[in-house]
């Protein structure tokens, strides 16, 4: 088929495959205007096809056959209502995968659920004042989400409170995958908003301990005990483990550097 707009479609499909927004970099205009605005679609083969359109033959390969009703949309393809309904199901699927020991697969599910809620959170807002409405009519819809988003609004907070347990589950998976710096970032982001979140302190403490941030780990574990003294046995176990690792490290360092200053 002679498909003039195929390069733009192909770019969207490649964005989807990479987990990006399929409309990234696009605006409401014709394909030629898109090309002139961006000068490149980001792929040399698509740029060439855009400049020199030609008949194409498409081979479609069937990857799998699914039972009726079993197909699940990707989050980017869902409506807002579908995203909200899908989150508990995706959360449950993540929990089941985690119980089965499929930690990376569970992390992907938690990530998808978080993405759904984050997308909804960006759209939360209050009625737009008349002055802003006039500004929007001039600037176009591109700036609408920025003007509408209300981080302190009740709806925004409600969505954020749904995100937090999912993010903590995601951090637990990342702990087991030994991706400690991602755990540090996410737990810190939670604690910047919710200073009394015990699980965030505990997981961040474990991540600090894993990367030898001893003082930070001890401070986080101390905060856990201050918030919930009943967790002393669990915290004590983590602190003993950290002390044992420090002793092993000191012993290894002594062997490694023995005689280095006498040479």
């Amino acid at each position: 088929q002679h498909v003039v707009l195929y390069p733009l479609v192909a770019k969207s499909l490649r964005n989807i495959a990479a987990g990006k927004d399929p409309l990234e970099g696009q605006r409401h205009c014709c394909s030629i205007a898109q090309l002139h605005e961006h000068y490149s679609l980001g792929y040399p083969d698509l740029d060439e096809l855009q400049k020199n359109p030609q008949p194409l033959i498409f081979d479609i390969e069937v990857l799998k056959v699914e039972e009726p009703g079993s197909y699940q949309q990707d989050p980017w393809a869902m409506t807002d209502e579908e995203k909200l309904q899908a989150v508990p199901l995706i959360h449950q699927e993540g929990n089941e995968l985690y119980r089965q020991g499929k930690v990376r697969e569970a992390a992907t599910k938690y990530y998808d659920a978080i993405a759904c809620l984050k997308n909804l959170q960006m759209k939360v807002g209050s009625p737009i004042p008349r002055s802003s409405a006039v500004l929007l009519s001039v600037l176009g819809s591109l700036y609408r989400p920025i003007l509408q988003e209300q981080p302190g609004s009740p709806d925004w907070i409600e969505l954020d409170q749904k995100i937090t347990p999912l993010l903590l589950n995601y951090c637990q998976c990342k702990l087991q995958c030994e991706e400690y710096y991602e755990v540090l970032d996410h737990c810190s982001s939670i604690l910047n908003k919710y200073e009394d979140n015990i699980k965030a302190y505990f997981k961040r403490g474990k991540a600090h301990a894993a990367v030898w941030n001893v003082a930070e780990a001890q401070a986080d574990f101390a905060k856990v005990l201050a918030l919930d003294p009943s967790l002393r046995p669990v915290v004590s176990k983590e602190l003993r483990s950290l002390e044992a690792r420090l002793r092993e490290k000191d012993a290894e360092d002594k062997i490694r550097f023995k005689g280095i200053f006498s040479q």
Side-chain angles (χ1 to χ4, degrees), residues 101-261:
K102 299 177 181 178
V103 179
R104 293 189 182 278
E105 293 87 343
T108 299
K109 288 293 183 181
Y110 296 137
Y111 182 89
D112 286 344
I114 292 168
C116 287
L117 292 173
K118 282 287 188 182
N119 182 271
L120 293 172
Q121 201 177 41
M122 290 183 64
K123 299 178 181 179
V124 169
S126 54
I128 303 174
R130 180 175 177 81
S131 58
S132 297
V134 173
L135 178 64
L136 283 174
S137 67
V138 176
L139 297 179
S141 60
L142 176 63
Y143 298 94
R144 187 176 300 275
I146 299 174
L147 291 175
Q148 279 189 320
E149 187 179 356
Q150 301 288 327
S153 70
D155 289 342
W156 190 96
I157 293 172
E158 182 181 353
L159 288 168
D160 202 59
Q161 290 173 344
K162 291 179 179 179
I163 290 171
T164 299
L166 286 163
L167 191 53
L168 287 169
N169 287 358
Y170 180 78
C171 286
Q172 180 61 33
C173 294
K174 291 301 176 178
L175 274 176
Q176 293 189 226
C177 294
E178 300 183 356
E179 298 178 26
Y180 303 117
Y181 289 101
E182 190 168 357
V183 177
L184 293 176
D185 288 342
H186 290 311
C187 287
S188 295
S189 71
I190 292 173
L191 291 169
N192 285 337
K193 293 177 287 187
Y194 308 105
E195 297 179 357
D196 59 348
N197 193 298
I198 298 172
K199 290 183 178 180
Y201 278 116
F202 186 76
K203 295 182 194 301
R204 192 175 71 172
K206 293 189 69 169
H208 274 309
V211 297
W212 302 106
N213 295 336
V214 178
E216 291 85 348
Q218 291 171 336
D220 279 345
F221 288 137
K223 191 68 176 180
V224 171
L225 288 179
L227 291 169
D228 189 350
S230 69
L231 293 175
R232 183 170 296 277
V234 179
V235 172
S236 297
K237 180 181 177 181
E238 293 295 332
L239 290 173
R240 287 195 300 270
S241 175
L242 176 58
E243 291 168 1
R245 289 175 59 233
L246 285 171
R247 287 194 296 269
E248 290 177 5
K249 186 175 184 296
D250 288 341
E252 291 174 359
D253 288 345
K254 286 179 181 178
I255 295 172
R256 184 179 299 110
F257 299 114
K258 184 178 181 180
I260 191 172
F261 297 109

Side-chain angles (χ1 to χ4, degrees), residues 10-62:
K11 179 184 178 181
S12 293
L13 292 174
R14 293 180 188 186
N15 282 344
I16 292 168
K20 300 178 181 178
D21 183 345
L23 300 181
E24 182 178 290
Q26 294 188 30
R27 62 185 180 87
H28 295 293
C29 62
C30 70
S31 59
I32 300 301
Q34 292 279 6
L35 183 61
H36 283 302
E37 180 179 0
H38 300 290
Y39 299 102
S40 172
L41 293 172
Y43 301 95
D45 59 325
L46 297 182
D47 288 341
E48 179 61 30
L49 188 58
Q50 184 86 301
K51 294 175 185 176
N52 302 297
Q54 57 185 294
L56 301 174
I57 298 175
F58 294 90
D59 290 332
I60 300 176
E61 179 184 355
V62 176

